[in-house]
Amino acid sequence: MKNAKTNYLDPAEELDYLKTIYGENQAEKLFAQLTDSFNVIQNRAQMLLSLITITLTITGFSGAKIAESSLFARLSIAFGLGFVLLSALILMAGPLRLNWCTRSRSKSLDQSLIKLIEQRNFRTERYHQASVALVVGLIGYVASVISFLILG
């Protein structure tokens, strides 16, 4: 049944829709479509992890100097880095968690494909949560830099 809030299909309905697109007996294409979506999530999560790494690296060079400039800078850099690290934890526990699509098997191919759709949806949700945490963290981090630039 469609989610009233988002108008998204539930996993079983999505599988039926994919079968409409690719054909009823096209298991190879259906499986390839789902594994490709895992690759997209993986690539985007790696991009976020790169932004996290850059933020932490810059902090290693200039974080102490920024934090010394004012109480606001100290609090906002700590706040920002907390959320940046939270983003990294969400990524590691969600989209970047290694799990092979062929590792488990359900009673039927349809059930296996539905399980893959559910896993993809879970990882997508975690990716969005990590993105929000990273943006909040970067706002705090940039606020500390602005404060440092103003107050010196």
Side-chain angles (χ1 to χ4, degrees), residues 4-151:
K5 184 178 177 185
T6 60
N7 204 31
Y8 291 154
L9 300 174
D10 70 27
E13 290 173 325
E14 185 175 354
L15 179 58
D16 288 341
Y17 184 53
L18 287 169
K19 286 180 176 182
T20 300
I21 294 169
Y22 292 109
E24 188 68 34
N25 297 317
Q26 297 295 322
E28 183 179 343
K29 289 181 181 178
L30 296 172
F31 193 78
Q33 170 68 30
L34 292 174
T35 55
D36 286 348
S37 62
F38 280 100
N39 289 333
V40 170
I41 295 167
Q42 177 79 21
N43 290 335
R44 289 183 179 215
Q46 287 175 332
M47 184 219 30
L48 290 184
L49 197 58
S50 295
L51 290 172
I52 290 167
T53 303
I54 290 168
T55 303
L56 296 176
T57 301
I58 292 170
T59 304
F61 289 114
S62 58
K65 189 149 181 92
I66 292 170
E68 290 173 358
S69 68
S70 71
L71 177 61
F72 177 78
R74 189 169 27 260
L75 293 175
S76 60
I77 200 168
F79 171 85
L81 289 177
F83 273 91
V84 168
L85 290 173
L86 176 62
S87 177
L89 290 173
I90 293 169
L91 287 174
M92 294 298 180
L96 292 176
R97 195 180 78 224
L98 186 60
N99 195 12
W100 304 108
C101 292
T102 56
R103 184 175 176 199
S104 63
R105 181 177 176 179
S106 299
K107 292 181 181 180
S108 72
L109 179 60
D110 280 2
Q111 289 175 339
S112 294
L113 293 172
I114 288 170
K115 185 171 174 77
L116 285 176
I117 292 170
E118 290 169 348
Q119 289 175 0
R120 183 215 51 204
N121 292 349
F122 171 80
R123 289 181 184 210
T124 302
E125 181 62 31
R126 291 296 181 265
Y127 169 80
H128 290 300
Q129 291 170 352
S131 297
V132 169
L134 180 59
V135 167
V136 170
L138 290 175
I139 289 169
Y141 185 81
V142 169
S144 71
V145 172
I146 291 170
S147 172
F148 172 72
L149 294 173
I150 292 171
L151 300 175

